[in-house]
Amino acid sequence: MAKIFQVTARAGMTRVVEPIARTLLRAGVSPNAVTVTGTVGVLIGALGFGARGHLVAGALIVTVFALTDLLDGTMARMSGGSTRFGAFLDSSMDRVADSAVFGAVAYWLATQHNYSGVAAALICLAAGGLVSYVKARAEGLGMTCNVGIAERTERLLIVGVGGILTGVAVPLALEIALWLLAAVSIFTVGQRMAHVYRQAQRVGVE
C-alpha cells in the first residue's frame, strides 16, 4: 500500500514538475545546476533557520528545495537521460543535504536539552545513510534494491511535519517524528538486506 501511494504521489508531482523542467532546459539550465541549487537551498533552510529554532520556516524551505530532487531527474530524462557524473552528483548532494537536515535538528534539540531527541536524530542520520548505502552497494554488485518503506522523500516528509508541528506549539511532535523515523529507517535497512540476500541465494542456486 505504501509503495502504491508513493507511485501515485510521484506521478502527480511529475505532471506539475514537467512544465518547469521544460522551461529551465529551454533557458539553458542544466540538471546538475538544479541539483547543486537544491542542495544549497536545503543547507540554508536547515542550518540558517532550523538550527536556530525557526522550525516552520526551516521545514518549508527544506521541503521546497528538496523537491528539486524530482526536478533535476525530470530534466535529465527530458534531455536524453542522466549522465554518470550527474547520477553521482545527485547521490552525493542528497547525502550532504540529509546530513545538514539531521545535524541541524540534533543541534537545535541539544540547545533545548532534549537529549532523547538528539539520540533519535543521530540514529536517523546513521540509518538514513545505511538505507542509501545498502541500495548503492547492491546495485554495484549487479542486484536490485528498490524496496523499503522509508526512502529519502518519506524521511524528509516525516521530519518536516514533526518540525512544523513543534514550531506551531506541539512540543513533542518533532521528537515523536524522529523516533518514528528511526524505527522505519532501521526496518527499511532490514528490508533491503533481506531482499538482497534472497537475490544472492537465487544466484548461488543457479
Side-chain angles (χ1 to χ4, degrees):
M1 182 63 71
K3 185 62 68 176
I4 293 173
F5 175 77
Q6 290 174 17
V7 172
T8 303
R10 286 178 183 271
M13 284 300 301
T14 298
R15 286 194 290 271
V16 174
V17 166
E18 283 184 347
I20 301 173
R22 290 193 190 94
T23 300
L24 290 173
L25 287 171
R26 291 194 194 102
V29 179
S30 71
N32 290 348
V34 172
T35 298
V36 174
T37 300
T39 302
V40 172
V42 170
L43 291 175
I44 291 171
L47 303 178
F49 289 85
R52 299 167 60 192
H54 305 298
L55 300 183
V56 175
L60 292 176
I61 293 170
V62 166
T63 299
V64 169
F65 280 98
L67 290 176
T68 59
D69 198 44
L70 181 59
L71 179 59
D72 59 12
T74 302
M75 291 172 67
R77 176 175 54 81
M78 289 180 168
S79 60
S82 175
T83 64
R84 287 187 177 183
F85 177 74
F88 167 79
L89 179 67
D90 184 61
S91 180
S92 299
M93 291 297 99
D94 284 351
R95 303 292 79 74
V96 171
D98 291 354
S99 297
V101 169
F102 290 103
V105 169
Y107 173 82
W108 180 76
L109 288 169
T111 66
Q112 306 303 303
H113 307 291
N114 184 342
Y115 301 114
S116 172
V118 172
L122 294 177
I123 293 172
C124 289
L125 179 57
L130 274 174
V131 167
S132 301
Y133 174 80
V134 169
K135 179 178 180 179
R137 183 60 176 152
E139 291 175 346
L141 293 171
M143 292 179 279
T144 62
C145 197
N146 296 315
V147 299
I149 60 173
E151 296 185 5
R152 183 171 186 262
T153 302
E154 288 71 36
R155 296 198 301 271
L156 291 178
L157 179 62
I158 290 171
V159 73
V161 169
I164 289 172
L165 290 176
T166 296
V168 296
V170 184
L172 293 177
L174 180 56
E175 183 179 352
I176 291 170
L178 287 169
W179 280 113
L180 171 64
L181 180 55
V184 297
S185 295
I186 292 170
F187 182 75
T188 297
V189 172
Q191 276 185 300
R192 291 188 168 183
M193 292 185 73
H195 181 73
V196 173
Y197 175 77
R198 287 192 293 269
Q199 289 180 78
Q201 290 294 98
R202 286 197 297 270
V203 171
V205 171
E206 294 171 359

